[in-house]
Amino acid sequence: MTPIETNQALLDGLREIVGDDGVLTTMGDRLVYECDGYVLEKQTPDIVVLPSTRAQVVGVVNRCREAGVPFMPRGAGTSLAGGTVAVGGGVMIALTRMNQILEIDLRNQFAVVEPGVVNIWLTQRLKGTGFHYAPDPSSQGACTIGGNVATNSGGPHTLKYGVTVNHVLGVEMVLPDGNVVTFGGPHADPVGYDLTGLAVGNEGTFGICTKAWVRLSRDAQAVRTMLGIFETVDDASHAISDIIAAGIVPAALEMMDHLMLQAVEEAYQFGFPLDAGAVLIMEADGLEAGIDEVAARIEEIARANNARDVRRARDESERLLLWKCRKKAFGAIGRLSPSYCCQDGVVPRSKIPEMLRFMSDISAKYDIRIANVFHAGDGNMHPILLFDERDAEQTQRVVDASHEILSECIRLGGSVTGEHGIGVEKIAFMDRLFTDDDLLAMRWTRAVFNPDNICNPAKLLPSGGHCAEVSLPATRRAT
Amino acid sequence: MTPIETNQALLDGLREIVGDDGVLTTMGDRLVYECDGYVLEKQTPDIVVLPSTRAQVVGVVNRCREAGVPFMPRGAGTSLAGGTVAVGGGVMIALTRMNQILEIDLRNQFAVVEPGVVNIWLTQRLKGTGFHYAPDPSSQGACTIGGNVATNSGGPHTLKYGVTVNHVLGVEMVLPDGNVVTFGGPHADPVGYDLTGLAVGNEGTFGICTKAWVRLSRDAQAVRTMLGIFETVDDASHAISDIIAAGIVPAALEMMDHLMLQAVEEAYQFGFPLDAGAVLIMEADGLEAGIDEVAARIEEIARANNARDVRRARDESERLLLWKCRKKAFGAIGRLSPSYCCQDGVVPRSKIPEMLRFMSDISAKYDIRIANVFHAGDGNMHPILLFDERDAEQTQRVVDASHEILSECIRLGGSVTGEHGIGVEKIAFMDRLFTDDDLLAMRWTRAVFNPDNICNPAKLLPSGGHCAEVSLPATRRAT
């Protein structure tokens, strides 16, 4: 069989649809797409296509299907679980040219965006209107809303405002058979099955998302942001439990540990105390009425849990700097290490101290430094394992350490991903989280949309193992 | 073919599983199950089975499948859309004996319940713990959590706290092939496809729900409940828009119109002014800090929209009486009319006044009295059409008037159901709300779980029309 990258009929067909400059074939061009934020698995796609319209996506999908070549979507490539790696090769459909905000309707509180719109652009566009787009992953300056929809992204404010699925009203998708379907829409009330909710988090295994209707949220009237400084992560963890137990729903509760603090302080000079065991960013928002009482109560609880100090952000610029330190923490890691692997495990909130102690043991056992910065209010932990990917032996230790950490999350009653998705990284865990029947139901669910598994194969669901691969008959739409 | 009700082998098999007293066969016994809260379509099931355990459900499902007899689940039969009618006959699996609260875990804020647990029982059981189960349909004194899961029920507090899907962490289901699957669970974070979210709202078309993990919510520290009295529904509608526009998220915003007020006042003697055009029940909740400021702001907005009076509930007993009036409004309708049809349409909030005027015109056109009591904050309208079902001609006028009302909801950018589901009542609208491709995606989604459409056929999805019925090959699990 002709190798895909030299399949002239396919290349000609694709160029006819998206133009010469929309098809990347040289190794230099394609190398950019060999991996995403997860650097432990790499594979250069055979062809990269950059469509600008839905019609072009339909054309590209049809050509790939006709040629029997797998394809997969890609946004900004910020996945931390290898969700956009072209496992086994194929045609990568990069959606960065579909980057228009198509409509903003403030009266009905929704926007319509193309998948390649960068998350932060929408909130920037809304500046001054009193509205914003709530999901705010730390990578929001780079990641796309299409990618957020694919992985059901969270962020620091998930604790109060929910994950992406809570803010997506509708999705338009090009299915692998070339048909375009629309689930939900601007005024979506759930009639029929909630296919919008199902599509959010599909990790590109159903088809190519070409449009999304998203909910706009009203800006909070008042915000109070505080930094709590603790001697130990245990104290910080107990403060979190007590804040939640007091019936307060903070807008955010984020923890950074000692090692993370070093890196962030060096990068951004916020003035973090370098001898602290952990800091908490604690934010309350809501109506002006009563907000100071809530902030005071949070402060009181932090102090009751041995906080050395609790500082309120003096003004908006100090608040923004504090959030910059948190959101760009991953960037600061570059000062500590050439590579990192950011894990994404979840444990019940009450198990955070135990999990942090476990990570400390794992760090010693594998001789791998681990920094922690995470959504403590949700129990969603992000241990960052520092290493050098040029060192194969060290890299293997990172993989092993990651697996032990994720296994411990399961043992403690949690899960192996809170918001980054399964991607390629965590497929091996699916058998441990689900029964064969549960996985079969998921495979059949995929087959509804992607019966031949030609769209983003090898993602999310294990392909073999206990259950054989399932493929619907090609006649499924014959009626 | 042997009629189902005299199929001795099937009857013997069912009795073997659930015992003699668990199988109802006499017309007298079965007549109880001929309809639910939607009285316009009736069909007596051939057999009614009352299982007490999951194992019995598996056995019943297996026997039905082997006999080629359709079956369908039923909770308390409070559906207002005919969701539990045995269209075409078959075996009704009534889940009222599976009524145990299996576990309450306050630390991790979840409960595990059987499907026949009545909604209010859970909150009653939690009394004194500081927690409650948030979804509170008006029928909560009778409806079951299994039924709430099937229809994704809402309620007055949906405005702030969301519908059932926001409070369901996991679902256990017996599929039509007899396999038991579990989606989600106590600490569910969404890993893999969100099949829990998909299962909520399936209207019994996937299988028989035998267990649910539900989220427990902390009681609000403070509640302020107010009654706003308005001369016109227009004024009340504008007050709603202004409250939402002020950035307030009330716990509830419920409207009752003039006709509804008459019935409710006669039944419960709350002291509603009988000459008012409409009243609003306006509730704010949250932390004690600031709650009075929020309540004052709501009151101010109501007065700015010509409220004749705004009264705060003086104490908890007055508050409970006010809610009793609202939640038992449907019961009070019995004083006005022998039968009623409660519709469930949604319009954008801004279209409420227009929609109420339309209903007034429809009332005149068809000479059918229409009372209104509804979740105004959500734009979820519940016009109640009063009639006498013994009068066939009048009944037809109710059907026609309902269709006009729902069509107008669609025209105004809304939907034909906010929380009651499609059932049998609204299937004809599905073709108007969805394209053929969208409906095919839904049919294939059903086929994942219920490939032969033997479980609750003729519900939710149109069976023919533009798209032919789809049936997966029987070998789908052969691998």
Side-chain angles (χ1 to χ4, degrees):
Chain A
M1 192 178 153
T2 322
I4 294 168
E5 72 270 32
T6 56
N7 180 333
Q8 204 54 48
L10 176 60
L11 284 168
D12 288 347
L14 294 173
R15 289 200 177 101
E16 195 178 302
I17 295 162
V18 296
D20 286 355
D21 76 336
V23 181
L24 308 183
T25 56
T26 68
M27 184 50 91
D29 282 343
R30 292 185 286 129
L31 258 183
V32 175
Y33 300 87
E34 70 168 358
C35 74
D36 49 33
Y38 179 72
V39 299
L40 295 175
E41 184 145 350
K42 296 182 178 177
Q43 169 76 44
T44 309
D46 295 304
I47 302 172
V48 177
V49 183
L50 297 154
S52 303
T53 65
R54 182 185 72 191
Q56 290 185 357
V57 173
V58 170
V60 169
V61 164
N62 284 337
R63 293 300 161 101
C64 290
R65 190 188 60 255
E66 288 153 16
V69 170
F71 52 92
M72 68 285 308
R74 187 184 199 266
T78 55
S79 168
L80 291 161
T84 73
V85 179
V87 183
V91 173
M92 180 166 284
I93 303 178
L95 294 155
T96 37
R97 289 186 181 175
M98 294 184 67
N99 60 4
Q100 298 301 303
I101 297 172
L102 301 172
E103 187 183 351
I104 288 181
D105 182 334
L106 293 180
R107 187 177 166 82
N108 293 300
Q109 298 190 204
F110 72 87
V112 188
V113 300
E114 290 187 322
V117 168
V118 170
N119 176 295
I120 195 83
W121 294 354
L122 184 52
T123 290
Q124 283 170 344
R125 176 75 68 84
L126 290 162
K127 199 160 183 178
T129 65
F131 290 89
H132 67 285
Y133 177 58
D136 65 334
S138 295
S139 58
Q140 70 181 141
C143 66
T144 64
I145 294 181
N148 298 165
V149 169
T151 52
N152 192 18
S153 302
H157 291 88
T158 292
L159 179 60
K160 181 166 181 180
Y161 293 104
V163 289
T164 297
V165 73
N166 302 116
H167 301 272
V168 174
L169 298 165
V171 175
E172 176 187 87
M173 274 204 299
V174 177
L175 298 183
D177 63 7
N179 280 311
V180 179
V181 289
T182 306
F183 306 138
H187 303 292
D189 281 278
V191 172
Y193 303 131
D194 183 14
L195 299 184
T196 307
L198 182 65
V200 176
N202 82 81
E203 301 197 22
T205 63
F206 287 177
I208 312 294
C209 171
T210 46
K211 200 191 278 184
W213 288 260
V214 299
R215 194 189 299 281
L216 303 180
S217 301
R218 197 171 284 279
D219 296 345
Q221 204 180 65
V223 184
R224 298 290 183 273
T225 308
M226 288 158 285
L227 180 70
I229 297 158
F230 296 83
E231 307 298 343
T232 67
V233 289
D234 265 32
D235 283 341
S237 301
H238 290 134
I240 291 162
S241 291
D242 288 353
I243 289 167
I244 303 283
I248 298 168
V249 183
L253 265 185
E254 298 281 309
M255 194 192 290
M256 289 195 276
D257 74 0
H258 182 73
L259 183 55
M260 196 67 241
L261 272 181
Q262 312 284 326
V264 166
E265 182 60 21
E266 196 178 319
Y268 306 115
Q269 295 89 41
F270 180 80
F272 291 113
L274 292 177
D275 60 338
V279 300
L280 284 183
I281 300 175
M282 306 176 290
E283 189 163 274
D285 69 5
L287 296 175
E288 197 60 58
I291 189 80
D292 283 316
E293 287 86 339
V294 174
R297 185 88 186 89
I298 290 174
E299 185 172 337
E300 188 185 310
I301 293 170
R303 290 197 191 276
N305 282 284
N306 310 316
R308 178 204 301 179
D309 193 13
V310 183
R311 306 182 199 160
R312 282 202 201 182
R314 279 185 306 267
D315 52 29
E316 186 61 9
S317 71
E318 193 177 69
R319 180 176 167 264
L320 291 177
L321 178 58
L322 190 53
W323 274 115
K324 178 182 165 189
C325 292
R326 164 61 188 90
K327 292 204 174 180
K328 301 210 164 176
F330 290 5
I333 287 289
R335 292 169 181 267
L336 300 181
S337 171
S339 314
Y340 67 82
C341 172
C342 173
Q343 272 305 333
D344 174 39
V346 181
V347 294
R349 211 157 36 218
S350 56
K351 306 285 190 188
I352 291 176
E354 186 174 343
M355 194 64 213
L356 287 169
R357 279 191 295 274
F358 182 84
M359 287 186 207
S360 173
D361 294 345
I362 287 292
S363 172
K365 176 175 172 186
Y366 288 96
D367 190 22
I368 295 289
R369 284 185 301 164
I370 302 180
N372 276 287
V373 48
F374 62 103
H375 313 313
D378 298 314
N380 187 184
M381 316 206 52
H382 289 325
I384 302 178
L385 292 78
L386 310 183
F387 70 110
D388 185 339
E389 64 184 290
R390 292 162 299 190
D391 179 339
E393 184 274 331
Q394 195 183 36
T395 302
Q396 188 54 49
R397 278 188 276 131
V398 166
V399 172
D400 295 343
S402 293
H403 276 242
E404 277 212 48
I405 288 170
L406 295 172
S407 296
E408 183 70 4
C409 288
I410 296 177
R411 199 187 67 78
L412 292 175
S415 152
V416 299
T417 173
E419 54 185 12
H420 298 172
I422 296 295
V424 292
E425 182 194 8
K426 290 170 182 171
I427 284 186
F429 285 94
M430 293 296 277
D431 279 341
R432 293 173 55 185
L433 289 167
F434 297 100
T435 67
D436 287 357
D437 277 337
D438 296 342
L439 285 175
L440 200 51
M442 287 197 196
R443 263 192 206 91
W444 276 94
T445 302
R446 178 178 63 194
V448 166
F449 307 95
N450 180 18
D452 305 315
N453 197 18
I454 195 174
C455 180
N456 217 10
K459 298 287 164 57
L460 186 61
L461 294 172
S463 60
H466 304 306
C467 309
E469 194 54 44
V470 175
S471 181
L472 280 175
T475 54
R476 73 185 186 85
R477 284 175 185 274
T479 50
Chain B
M1 193 178 151
T2 322
I4 295 168
E5 70 270 34
T6 56
N7 180 333
Q8 204 54 50
L10 176 60
L11 283 168
D12 288 347
L14 294 174
R15 288 199 178 102
E16 196 178 302
I17 295 162
V18 296
D20 286 354
D21 76 337
V23 181
L24 308 182
T25 55
T26 69
M27 184 51 89
D29 282 343
R30 290 184 287 130
L31 259 183
V32 174
Y33 299 88
E34 71 167 355
C35 75
D36 49 34
Y38 179 70
V39 299
L40 295 174
E41 183 145 352
K42 296 181 178 176
Q43 169 76 45
T44 309
D46 296 305
I47 302 171
V48 177
V49 182
L50 298 155
S52 303
T53 64
R54 182 185 72 189
Q56 289 184 358
V57 173
V58 171
V60 168
V61 163
N62 284 338
R63 293 299 161 102
C64 289
R65 190 188 60 254
E66 287 153 16
V69 171
F71 53 91
M72 69 283 310
R74 189 185 197 266
T78 55
S79 168
L80 291 161
T84 73
V85 179
V87 183
V91 173
M92 181 167 283
I93 303 178
L95 294 156
T96 38
R97 289 186 180 175
M98 293 184 67
N99 60 4
Q100 298 301 303
I101 297 172
L102 300 173
E103 186 182 353
I104 288 182
D105 182 333
L106 294 180
R107 187 176 167 81
N108 292 300
Q109 299 191 205
F110 73 86
V112 188
V113 300
E114 289 187 322
V117 168
V118 170
N119 176 295
I120 194 84
W121 293 355
L122 184 52
T123 290
Q124 284 170 344
R125 176 76 68 83
L126 290 163
K127 202 163 181 175
T129 64
F131 289 90
H132 66 287
Y133 177 58
D136 64 335
S138 295
S139 57
Q140 71 181 140
C143 67
T144 62
I145 294 180
N148 298 165
V149 168
T151 53
N152 192 18
S153 303
H157 292 87
T158 292
L159 179 60
K160 181 165 181 180
Y161 293 104
V163 289
T164 297
V165 73
N166 302 115
H167 301 273
V168 175
L169 299 165
V171 174
E172 177 189 87
M173 273 203 300
V174 178
L175 297 184
D177 63 7
N179 280 312
V180 179
V181 288
T182 305
F183 306 137
H187 304 291
D189 279 277
V191 172
Y193 302 132
D194 182 14
L195 299 183
T196 307
L198 182 66
V200 176
N202 81 81
E203 301 198 22
T205 62
F206 286 178
I208 312 295
C209 170
T210 46
K211 198 192 277 184
W213 288 259
V214 299
R215 193 189 300 281
L216 303 180
S217 300
R218 196 171 286 277
D219 298 345
Q221 202 182 66
V223 184
R224 297 291 182 273
T225 308
M226 288 158 284
L227 179 70
I229 298 159
F230 295 83
E231 307 297 345
T232 67
V233 290
D234 265 31
D235 284 341
S237 301
H238 290 133
I240 290 162
S241 292
D242 288 353
I243 289 167
I244 303 284
I248 298 168
V249 183
L253 264 185
E254 299 280 309
M255 195 192 290
M256 290 194 277
D257 74 0
H258 181 73
L259 184 56
M260 196 68 238
L261 272 181
Q262 311 283 325
V264 166
E265 182 60 21
E266 196 179 318
Y268 307 114
Q269 294 90 40
F270 180 81
F272 291 112
L274 293 177
D275 60 338
V279 300
L280 284 184
I281 300 176
M282 305 176 290
E283 189 163 275
D285 70 4
L287 295 175
E288 196 62 57
I291 189 80
D292 283 315
E293 288 85 340
V294 175
R297 185 88 185 89
I298 290 175
E299 185 172 336
E300 188 185 311
I301 292 170
R303 289 195 191 277
N305 281 285
N306 310 315
R308 180 202 300 178
D309 194 12
V310 183
R311 303 183 201 161
R312 281 202 201 183
R314 280 184 305 266
D315 51 30
E316 186 62 10
S317 71
E318 192 175 69
R319 180 177 167 266
L320 291 177
L321 179 58
L322 189 54
W323 273 115
K324 178 181 165 190
C325 291
R326 165 61 188 92
K327 293 206 172 178
K328 300 209 164 173
F330 291 2
I333 287 288
R335 292 169 181 267
L336 299 180
S337 170
S339 313
Y340 68 82
C341 170
C342 172
Q343 272 306 333
D344 175 38
V346 180
V347 294
R349 212 155 38 215
S350 56
K351 305 286 190 188
I352 292 176
E354 186 174 343
M355 194 64 213
L356 287 169
R357 280 192 295 274
F358 181 85
M359 287 186 205
S360 173
D361 294 345
I362 288 290
S363 171
K365 176 175 172 185
Y366 289 97
D367 189 23
I368 295 288
R369 284 186 299 165
I370 302 180
N372 276 288
V373 49
F374 62 102
H375 312 313
D378 298 314
N380 186 186
M381 317 206 50
H382 289 325
I384 302 178
L385 292 78
L386 311 183
F387 71 110
D388 184 339
E389 65 183 290
R390 292 163 300 191
D391 178 340
E393 183 274 331
Q394 195 184 36
T395 301
Q396 187 55 48
R397 278 188 277 131
V398 166
V399 172
D400 295 343
S402 291
H403 276 241
E404 278 213 47
I405 288 170
L406 295 173
S407 295
E408 182 69 5
C409 287
I410 295 176
R411 199 186 67 79
L412 292 175
S415 152
V416 300
T417 174
E419 55 185 10
H420 299 171
I422 296 294
V424 293
E425 182 195 9
K426 290 170 182 170
I427 283 185
F429 284 93
M430 293 296 276
D431 279 340
R432 293 173 55 185
L433 289 167
F434 297 100
T435 67
D436 288 357
D437 277 337
D438 295 342
L439 285 175
L440 200 52
M442 288 198 194
R443 264 192 205 90
W444 276 95
T445 302
R446 178 178 64 193
V448 166
F449 308 96
N450 180 19
D452 305 314
N453 198 17
I454 196 175
C455 180
N456 217 10
K459 299 286 165 55
L460 185 61
L461 293 173
S463 59
H466 304 305
C467 308
E469 195 56 44
V470 175
S471 182
L472 281 175
T475 53
R476 76 184 186 85
R477 283 179 183 274
T479 51

